[in-house]
Amino acid sequence: MEHTTRKKPAYKTTVSLNGQQLRMEVDSGSACSLISDNTYKKLWPNNPPPLVRTDSILWQWSQAPLQVQGKIKVQVEYRHIKTALSLLVVRGQGTSLFGRDSFEALGIELTGVHIIQQHHVTALLEKYAEVFQKICACRGPPISIEVDPTVSPKFFKARPVPFALKQRIDEALDDLAEQGIFVQWATPIVPVTKGDGSLSICGDYRCTVNTAVKLDVYPLPTVAEMFSTLARGVIVTKLDLKQAYQQLVLDEPSSELLTINAHRGLYCAQWLQFGVSAAFAIFQRFMDTLLADILGVQPYLDDILITGKTPEEHDARLEKVLCQISEVGLRLQKDRCVFAATEVEFLGFRVDKEGTIPPVRTWKLS
């Protein structure tokens, strides 16, 4: 995928919906035709077409769900054709789309290949189903965290726990590693609410370990370096590693070093933890080494981007990556992965065969 800020414009056309003119994008990648509820209200502020309830479920190209408000039936005029069509109405603002369900009625024809067949990808995901299972300890060599021996160790008492969060913190602590013995280093915890509403326990290593950790100079790849690796790809997959570098096993001294202090006592960390200043470099080095021999693959912390010029090339690279991940025991977050797509969002860019541009609010339906 060549690194450029230019992109071929989408194919758009003007149509009449119940007598109201609307600019719509013709999208062969969209299974359904739709408009936003914002457009729905603007087109018909006084006498809108009835919004009928529907059980339709839609996803964006990034696999994020769309909130379908309902379905409307409208009279469409396109060039010399007049016909009645159904449109889905989704919450928010976005591009109005003519999907494949409207093509035949409006006389729109496709030439060439516009839909990527994912049968082989599905077979690969079934073959390597274990990489989407419950997180386990990575089978790679234990991680060692080096500290400056001249820095005095610190021991912090447990911070007060809000009564409203105590039960949820107890439940989160039950999911952590076994309770360890008393050591000189002890880090207070910070409870963090995740996007799904669950609670995650993180150590506040800024006040303890990070004051003594030796600087790891392993660099993260730049945007230019990453997209040069992905140049000329047409099909792209984005893999998301579950809990990122928490899957890397610590050696015994580092395990004691990352001990956390909670209201229920000391917990000795078994895996590399969020909040450790050296963790980013350690994990990037691990992933670069793991996938170094596979062309068209770019890891960046907890994301892995895989591209290919053809379905066969893409699938072969995807299988090699899944095989490597499976062999070392890493785990992926399947609902946050995107497989065999024509574009993905990555590091604030929308990436496709034309290059990379900052993302805009568009809907691409699977």
Side-chain angles (χ1 to χ4, degrees), residues 221-277:
T222 66
V223 171
E225 289 171 338
M226 286 188 292
F227 291 131
S228 66
T229 302
L230 305 170
R232 293 177 295 280
V234 174
I235 305 167
V236 58
T237 284
K238 185 174 75 169
L239 303 179
D240 185 272
L241 285 156
K242 185 180 295 185
Q243 295 180 222
Y245 39 80
Q246 277 193 325
Q247 301 188 53
L248 300 187
V249 178
L250 296 166
D251 62 15
E252 186 174 349
S254 300
S255 179
E256 294 180 351
L257 188 69
L258 301 189
T259 296
I260 61 172
N261 196 355
H263 66 285
R264 287 168 49 174
L266 299 170
Y267 285 78
C268 190
Q270 304 296 306
W271 303 325
L272 187 59
Q273 295 296 303
F274 294 110
V276 178
S277 58

Side-chain angles (χ1 to χ4, degrees), residues 10 25 27 29-30 59-62 97 343 362-366:
E25 178 179 334
D27 185 2
S30 173
W59 291 269
Q60 301 181 54
W61 58 267
S62 63
L97 299 180
E343 63 179 34
T362 58
W363 289 317
K364 296 293 182 182
L365 307 183
S366 56

Side-chain angles (χ1 to χ4, degrees), residues 30-138:
S30 173
C32 305
S33 300
L34 60 86
I35 61 174
S36 69
D37 60 353
N38 182 270
T39 299
Y40 173 73
K41 294 172 184 175
K42 285 185 177 180
L43 284 178
W44 303 289
N46 300 319
N47 188 27
L51 192 62
V52 180
R53 184 175 178 179
T54 176
D55 295 327
S56 297
I57 301 175
L58 302 179
W59 291 269
Q60 301 181 54
W61 58 267
S62 63
Q63 306 302 312
L66 289 172
Q67 297 183 355
V68 180
Q69 303 290 88
K71 179 173 63 175
I72 61 173
K73 195 163 188 177
V74 294
Q75 290 295 320
V76 180
E77 294 186 29
Y78 173 67
R79 295 181 177 175
H80 61 282
I81 297 175
K82 296 181 180 181
T83 186
L85 290 178
S86 293
L87 301 176
L88 295 178
V89 179
V90 298
R91 179 173 295 177
Q93 302 181 45
T95 305
S96 301
L97 299 180
F98 264 142
R100 296 191 302 274
D101 61 337
S102 301
F103 284 8
E104 183 176 354
L106 297 176
I108 299 173
E109 297 182 357
L110 297 179
T111 58
V113 179
H114 290 257
I115 302 173
I116 298 172
Q117 299 298 327
Q118 297 191 354
H119 299 302
H120 190 210
V121 172
T122 300
L124 286 178
L125 300 187
E126 293 176 355
K127 180 179 179 180
Y128 295 98
E130 67 175 22
V131 303
F132 303 107
Q133 294 176 359
K134 186 178 179 180
I135 191 172
C136 65
C138 176

Side-chain angles (χ1 to χ4, degrees), residues 278-335:
F280 295 100
I282 291 171
F283 191 67
Q284 186 67 38
R285 180 189 291 109
F286 177 85
M287 295 304 301
D288 283 346
T289 303
L290 180 68
L291 305 175
D293 297 331
I294 309 176
L295 296 176
V297 174
Q298 179 60 64
Y300 187 85
L301 299 177
D302 59 345
D303 284 329
I304 304 172
L305 215 59
I306 306 165
T307 66
K309 294 187 289 291
T310 65
E312 293 76 17
E313 183 177 68
H314 164 272
D315 293 354
R317 292 171 175 177
L318 173 59
E319 181 164 17
K320 288 180 181 179
V321 172
L322 292 176
C323 181
Q324 289 286 78
I325 289 175
S326 176
E327 286 183 357
V328 299
L330 291 175
R331 295 292 183 258
L332 300 173
Q333 188 78 24
K334 190 173 184 179
D335 59 358

